[in-house]
Amino acid sequence: MLERHILGPIEALGQYVLLLSKAFRSLGEFGIYQKNLFQQMVRIGIDSIPIVALAGLFSGAVLTVQTAYQLESPFIPQSIIGSIVVPSMVLELGAVVTGFILAGRVGARIAAELGTMRVTEQIDALEAMGLNSIGYLIVPRVMAGILMFPVLYITATGVGIGGGVGVAHYGGFLSAGEFVAGARQFFSPFDPIFGLIKSFVFGFIITSVACYKGYYTGGGAEGVGRSTTEAAVLSCVYILFANLALAVLIL
Amino acid sequence: MIEVRNVYKSFGSLSVLEDVSLTVQDEETLAIIGKSGSGKSVLMKHLMGLIKPDKGEVIVDGTDINAVSYQELRDLRQRFGMLFQGGALFDSMNVFDNVAFPLRTFSPLPEDEVRARVRENLAEVQLEGVEDKAPSELSGGMKKRVALARAVALKPQYIIYDEPTSGLDPETSNTINELIRSLSEQSNITSIVVTHDMHSVLSIADRAAFIHDQRIRWLGTIDELHTAEDPVLNGFVRASEYQIGKPAAATNK
């Protein structure tokens, strides 16, 4: 019991770190896996744009309506709505909403894909051919995550702010001009940089945790199901912790 | 030549191999037989370093494969072709790309030569016109044949077959056995066949190693198998619906 609860997670962490160090060491032969990187950038990044944009759009719109509702006072200038919505999207919502959506969409997909490859011996087949399966399967996915998550973050944040402006303007809360003026008033150039740092970290967490869970899947179809769920759930939990840690450390 | 020297392997508290020693001679076909769960597949995965032994050595052409770097091990693995039990075809690729995969990855061949080689390999396993199909569209026997075409694509020195006929009907099993035999005869390949199908053993193997209770209990030629006096081996062979000494069996070899 004690062994399972205390040593289990330590062993898992060790295995995860070892996997990543093997992945790092295989960067030297990246030329062979380059094609996979582009393929994964499309699957992880480009294919996720619609859902991420949709989530961003609604987050920005709802945030605007609720902020307007909370600040309904003749003593508060309406432009303050823009001052709240834009930094909230840039600092927090853009990255976190993207992270949660992709933990499900990308994390589960990677874990299911690699888990199935493991249980059907496709990973053994790669190794048996003399290929470095970690370099071939994991490096392109994690790199695609790190490279594409910032793009998705920018998409979610941009569309979210657009959604906020749209709802503010057409919902009769404040004009687009006022919204933008409010946003510019308190704009700090570091905010988007912080959001980008978050998205890099979230991209790494989601793809590396999913790769780890998928790569070490055992136990047939049930094992694949377990890995997939764990990849999605653990990615969300680690995103929450990383989110707090980054805010405390950097801001 | 592959030499397995005093190999021990256990998973947690479960001991799978104990003091296993075995030599696979060049150009022979050796069958590793035994009950399900006897450690055949674990022993097979040791032969190309997919599993490392807890103790003991595996020597391939004079190199201890567990004492070399990962890069050297990978180079060494290119001397092997392996047919996995379920085929292990990459389901993200169609049949053509599966067979072309080792050629595109490891050979300097230009794409038109790759295409010609893939067609040649597929023709060798009597499969034509399925190049564009996904592995999921193929029957069990077809999957094994595509996997066989992929395994021999780089003209390996050794081929390891993991349960090549399991789950197949008798006719398809015979086709696979025929393919394995013709491959080893044509290309002077050294073959290691892990199986519990005695019909397969008698059709294709020169020698057999019988694993029982984590050890190699019996090792000998197919002719010796007919006259072996080991009760456990005989029990296994009889249970496989083969009566030692039956003329039908003798004619298979």
Side-chain angles (χ1 to χ4, degrees):
Chain A
M1 191 73 175
L2 180 80
E3 195 179 324
R4 208 183 65 190
H5 286 291
I6 297 177
L7 292 181
I10 296 174
E11 203 182 316
L13 180 68
Q15 205 179 22
Y16 171 75
V17 172
L18 270 175
L19 181 75
L20 290 182
S21 71
K22 281 183 190 164
F24 189 75
R25 282 205 300 271
S26 62
L27 282 175
E29 42 188 339
F30 181 66
I32 308 173
Y33 319 124
Q34 208 172 346
K35 205 178 119 207
N36 281 17
L37 173 66
F38 295 126
Q39 201 179 42
Q40 291 303 327
M41 282 170 79
V42 171
R43 285 190 190 163
I44 291 175
I46 309 292
D47 291 351
S48 297
I49 286 179
I51 182 71
V52 161
L54 189 74
L57 179 78
F58 279 86
S59 306
V62 171
L63 186 62
T64 303
V65 174
Q66 291 182 353
T67 309
Y69 164 73
Q70 285 178 304
L71 300 179
E72 209 171 14
S73 159
F75 303 107
I76 302 173
Q78 288 298 289
S79 65
I80 204 84
I81 295 171
S83 314
I84 292 174
V85 169
V86 172
S88 301
M89 282 306 299
V90 172
L91 281 172
E92 176 71 10
L93 279 177
V96 173
V97 165
T98 306
F100 280 149
I101 286 194
L102 296 182
R105 191 189 180 278
V106 171
R109 183 206 168 106
I110 290 177
E113 201 174 17
L114 297 191
T116 307
M117 288 188 76
R118 168 64 73 194
V119 300
T120 55
E121 295 186 307
Q122 291 177 55
I123 294 183
D124 280 338
L126 286 171
E127 284 288 330
M129 280 178 199
L131 215 77
N132 176 350
S133 63
I134 292 175
Y136 184 76
L137 296 171
I138 295 181
V139 170
R141 283 171 172 78
V142 176
M143 278 180 81
I146 295 173
L147 293 172
M148 294 311 284
F149 269 51
V151 174
L152 295 169
Y153 156 75
I154 292 169
T155 308
T157 308
V159 175
I161 293 171
V165 173
V167 163
H169 189 78
Y170 294 106
F173 300 105
L174 72 164
S175 72
E178 281 177 294
F179 188 102
V180 173
R184 293 176 70 166
Q185 200 177 353
F186 295 99
F187 178 76
S188 154
F190 182 69
D191 291 357
I193 295 174
F194 181 62
L196 280 173
I197 294 172
K198 268 190 185 180
S199 64
F200 273 118
V201 174
F202 293 174
F204 173 75
I205 289 174
I206 292 170
T207 48
S208 64
V209 168
C211 284
Y212 165 71
K213 283 287 166 193
Y215 192 81
Y216 290 115
T217 296
E222 197 189 338
V224 176
R226 196 169 45 238
S227 298
T228 308
T229 311
E230 283 178 2
V233 172
L234 286 179
S235 299
C236 287
V237 173
Y238 295 151
I239 282 176
L240 291 172
F241 280 108
N243 195 27
L244 178 65
L246 288 172
V248 171
L249 290 173
I250 299 179
L251 289 183
Chain B
M1 191 167 77
I2 305 175
E3 292 171 81
V4 177
R5 292 183 190 159
N6 312 101
V7 161
Y8 289 77
K9 182 70 189 177
S10 51
F11 296 103
S13 56
L14 179 73
S15 174
V16 182
L17 298 177
E18 285 176 13
D19 199 16
V20 169
S21 296
L22 179 71
T23 303
V24 187
Q25 303 293 348
D26 284 339
E27 297 182 23
E28 77 166 335
T29 299
L30 174 75
I32 300 176
I33 57 175
K35 284 193 285 192
S36 296
S38 59
K40 305 187 294 286
S41 293
V42 172
L43 173 60
M44 168 205 81
K45 287 189 174 176
H46 276 86
L47 299 179
M48 54 199 307
L50 290 172
I51 294 181
K52 287 196 187 303
D54 297 336
K55 221 167 96 181
E57 293 167 333
V58 179
I59 317 280
V60 175
D61 299 333
T63 307
D64 180 352
I65 62 170
N66 297 302
V68 295
S69 70
Y70 180 51
Q71 182 58 51
E72 285 168 294
L73 175 63
R74 285 167 52 201
D75 292 342
L76 220 134
R77 281 176 181 162
Q78 288 178 32
R79 296 182 200 168
F80 286 83
M82 177 147 179
L83 178 69
F84 285 87
Q85 197 170 349
L89 296 175
F90 303 126
D91 43 25
S92 56
M93 302 175 193
N94 63 18
V95 166
F96 184 92
D97 289 337
N98 260 287
V99 182
F101 184 81
L103 294 167
R104 284 174 179 154
T105 311
F106 296 110
S107 77
L109 293 177
E111 188 58 24
D112 52 339
E113 275 182 53
V114 167
R115 289 186 171 278
R117 278 278 285 277
V118 171
R119 288 213 182 85
E120 196 182 303
N121 285 328
L122 285 170
E124 232 173 293
V125 296
Q126 298 153 26
L127 272 182
E128 276 147 306
V130 295
E131 285 92 338
D132 297 328
K133 286 196 188 297
S136 57
E137 294 176 85
L138 303 178
S139 69
M142 284 163 102
K143 273 184 198 163
K144 291 227 166 137
R145 280 189 277 165
V146 175
L148 191 53
R150 186 179 71 180
V152 297
L154 287 170
K155 303 199 185 303
Q157 186 182 339
Y158 301 99
I159 304 191
I160 300 177
Y161 302 91
D162 186 13
E163 305 280 6
T165 57
S166 78
L168 301 179
D169 64 81
E171 207 180 330
T172 315
S173 296
N174 281 343
T175 314
I176 298 278
N177 286 335
E178 281 299 320
L179 283 171
I180 294 176
R181 193 163 50 188
S182 75
L183 265 171
S184 50
E185 279 167 7
Q186 276 170 27
S187 341
N188 302 326
I189 290 174
T190 306
S191 308
I192 299 112
V193 187
V194 171
T195 185
H196 52 241
D197 175 356
M198 284 310 295
H199 180 69
S200 194
V201 174
L202 296 168
S203 314
I204 56 183
D206 301 315
R207 288 196 305 150
F210 175 57
I211 300 196
H212 184 76
D213 280 347
Q214 299 92 40
R215 291 164 190 271
I216 301 230
R217 188 178 169 105
W218 186 89
L219 178 69
T221 63
I222 296 302
D223 290 337
E224 287 164 353
L225 186 68
H226 293 276
T227 52
E229 286 181 2
D230 184 318
V232 180
L233 173 68
N234 289 351
F236 174 80
V237 173
R238 285 207 184 89
S240 311
E241 295 175 345
Y242 162 68
Q243 300 282 311
I244 289 182
K246 257 194 172 179
T251 52
N252 277 322
K253 185 63 201 165

